[in-house]
Amino acid sequence: MILRRPYAFLIKHFRLIHLILFALLAIITYNASTVLNFFKDYITANGNMEILSSNYINVFIYIAPIIIIGLSILIFYLMKYKDKPRLYYIILIIVSILCTGVYTYLYLNIRSLETTTVSARIIRLYRDIARSNFYVLFVMCIPTLIRGLGFDIKKFNFSKDLKELNLSEEDSAEVEVSIDVSSNGLKRTGRRTLRELKYYYVENKFFINIILGTLILILVMVFPFNKYVVNRNLKEGEVLGTSAFNIKVTDSYLTDRKRISKDNSYVILKVSVIGKVNKYSLDLDHFILEGKNNKYVPSQKFYLYFNDIGIGYRNNILDTTSYKDYILVFNINNIDKDSNFIFRYVDNDRGIKISPEVIY
């Protein structure tokens, strides 16, 4: 089998690869600046502002560093093969990993601010961390762009980086790889291959671990990220935050009491609500209870049946200083009585898992 060495391709596209690296870094840096501006605005407003954490996160924040790390590893091996300085690419790999971790940490704290308040000292700490993250990424953009444009930092000699890589015919030479499938030597070849792989791993442990770590990052963080981090379902007692209000389910009940037919039951949710903006009232049609077969919206006409549990919500203006308690009543079909219910607000991808207590 004939394989072609990749060095010629990497050398010929050296500037293009660095321009791609710069574009990816620029996008990450821009996102870092939005997080920094959030904490600046939060401090200026003394916490009195709408917060929607989903505005500050997306999957590309994790895909871009993975691509940067992969390209940096390739260029590192090119520089190593050509005996050129390669410290910059090690730094770029480390910065990509660390800044991704910092960004995740800051995002989780922004999400917590949807439902809780923290001291001004802690907010200033978050701001300083965000500022450091932004500055580090911004600084990394500069040498990446310079290499992409072909300038040498000292002499500003265009294309000097590319010329110093010494493109030779050997870089594009074809390498013949023979594959012996003789049954007599199959076991011997297998053992030799395992030994060679082991030696190769020992010699290149650092970079192989980076590649494996990158693959794990894709599997563990990118694909299930939206489901288990950004849009994970909450439990009763946890706060579901929106830009206009916070709501939590404190208790839930399932009952056949005063049902209007033999085929229906009621799910009653005790909720606590606080407003984030002045003179805001809830639109009950935007609340949904998902059963295994159907979806339901609250019905105000059944509130009187359950006055002993709480006061039904009827377009009340939300208090912005403290939580107020109400009940929501859902008239459900009996085929959904054994459902794993999810209580949702239509403008929010997250929901609250409901496990109602049966009452009579």
Side-chain angles (χ1 to χ4, degrees):
M1 181 171 63
I2 303 297
L3 298 178
R4 184 174 294 275
R5 288 176 177 166
Y7 302 117
F9 176 85
L10 294 176
I11 293 172
K12 289 179 180 178
H13 297 88
F14 185 78
R15 287 167 53 188
L16 176 61
I17 291 172
H18 282 80
L19 288 175
I20 293 172
L21 287 172
F22 169 74
L24 295 171
L25 280 170
I27 293 172
I28 298 174
T29 303
Y30 171 77
N31 282 276
S33 72
T34 62
V35 172
L36 174 59
N37 289 333
F38 165 80
F39 287 111
K40 287 181 177 178
D41 294 342
Y42 191 90
I43 292 172
T44 302
N46 292 319
N48 297 316
M49 59 180 288
E50 295 184 15
I51 302 173
L52 196 59
S53 61
S54 58
N55 291 340
Y56 300 93
I57 197 70
N58 57 73
V59 175
F60 189 77
I61 294 299
Y62 296 93
I63 294 177
I66 291 171
I67 298 174
I68 291 172
I69 291 169
L71 291 176
S72 298
I73 291 173
L74 290 175
I75 298 298
F76 175 89
Y77 275 106
L78 170 64
M79 293 299 201
K80 183 179 180 181
Y81 176 73
K82 286 295 184 180
D83 195 25
K84 298 294 180 182
R86 46 192 179 271
L87 177 62
Y88 167 75
Y89 301 98
I90 296 176
I91 295 174
L92 185 56
I93 290 169
I94 295 172
V95 166
S96 298
I97 295 172
L98 291 179
C99 287
T100 302
V102 169
Y103 193 97
T104 302
Y105 170 76
L106 293 173
Y107 162 73
L108 293 175
N109 282 288
I110 292 175
R111 195 176 74 179
S112 70
L113 289 174
E114 290 182 335
T115 57
T116 60
T117 57
V118 298
S119 67
R121 181 178 62 85
I122 297 298
I123 292 296
R124 288 194 295 270
L125 174 62
Y126 294 157
R127 179 202 58 192
D128 293 341
I129 294 173
R131 179 182 287 128
S132 299
N133 189 50
F134 169 74
Y135 285 162
V136 168
L137 287 167
F138 182 81
V139 169
M140 293 303 297
C141 286
I142 297 173
T144 308
L145 178 61
I146 289 173
R147 295 196 176 202
L149 295 176
F151 285 99
D152 178 75
I153 297 176
K154 295 181 179 179
K155 299 181 180 180
F156 294 95
N157 184 14
F158 190 76
S159 297
K160 187 172 186 297
D161 277 328
L162 185 59
K163 292 177 181 178
E164 286 185 348
L165 288 173
N166 301 324
L167 181 61
S168 65
E169 292 184 2
E170 183 186 6
D171 295 319
S172 58
E174 293 180 338
V175 181
E176 183 174 354
V177 180
S178 61
I179 302 177
D180 184 4
V181 293
S182 172
S183 59
N184 294 330
L186 189 59
K187 291 184 179 180
R188 184 170 61 255
T189 301
R191 288 194 296 268
R192 184 173 66 250
T193 301
L194 288 175
R195 284 198 304 272
E196 291 175 353
L197 288 174
K198 181 179 178 180
Y199 296 148
Y200 183 81
Y201 173 76
V202 171
E203 292 175 358
N204 302 277
K205 181 185 296 186
F206 176 73
F207 293 99
I208 292 176
N209 287 343
I210 289 177
I211 294 172
L212 292 176
T214 301
L215 293 175
I216 292 173
L217 185 66
I218 294 174
L219 295 174
V220 174
M221 298 188 67
V222 174
F223 296 110
F225 184 76
N226 280 337
K227 181 176 181 180
Y228 296 108
V229 178
V230 178
N231 300 324
R232 74 174 181 90
N233 287 327
L234 307 172
K235 297 180 293 185
E236 291 186 31
E238 292 185 312
V239 177
L240 178 66
T242 74
S243 60
F245 63 89
N246 290 339
I247 187 170
K248 58 184 176 181
V249 177
T250 56
D251 282 301
S252 59
Y253 306 97
L254 175 66
T255 184
D256 295 333
R257 191 171 74 187
K258 296 184 179 180
R259 61 184 180 179
I260 55 178
S261 75
K262 64 179 181 180
D263 296 323
N264 86 293
S265 299
Y266 302 103
V267 172
I268 305 101
L269 303 184
K270 290 187 69 174
V271 298
S272 290
V273 192
I274 187 172
K276 293 182 178 179
V277 295
N278 294 326
K279 298 181 179 180
Y280 186 86
S281 59
L282 302 177
D283 185 344
L284 293 184
D285 289 337
H286 287 175
F287 290 94
I288 297 172
L289 183 70
E290 294 181 355
K292 63 180 179 181
N293 297 292
N294 300 287
K295 297 180 180 180
Y296 307 92
V297 296
S299 178
Q300 298 184 36
K301 67 181 181 180
F302 300 110
Y303 285 164
L304 293 177
Y305 295 171
F306 306 104
N307 282 337
D308 57 322
I309 296 177
I311 300 172
Y313 178 83
R314 297 183 185 274
N315 298 320
N316 307 67
I317 299 297
L318 298 184
D319 194 321
T320 58
T321 59
S322 62
Y323 278 91
K324 299 299 181 183
D325 296 329
Y326 303 99
I327 64 169
L328 301 177
V329 179
F330 298 85
N331 179 26
I332 69 167
N333 193 300
N334 280 344
I335 61 174
D336 288 320
K337 286 179 66 174
D338 59 347
S339 298
N340 295 317
F341 293 104
I342 301 292
F343 176 59
R344 295 190 184 279
Y345 182 67
V346 293
D347 290 340
N348 199 305
D349 292 326
R350 286 188 288 174
I352 300 175
K353 293 182 286 187
I354 303 299
S355 300
E357 174 189 352
V358 178
I359 59 174
Y360 301 97

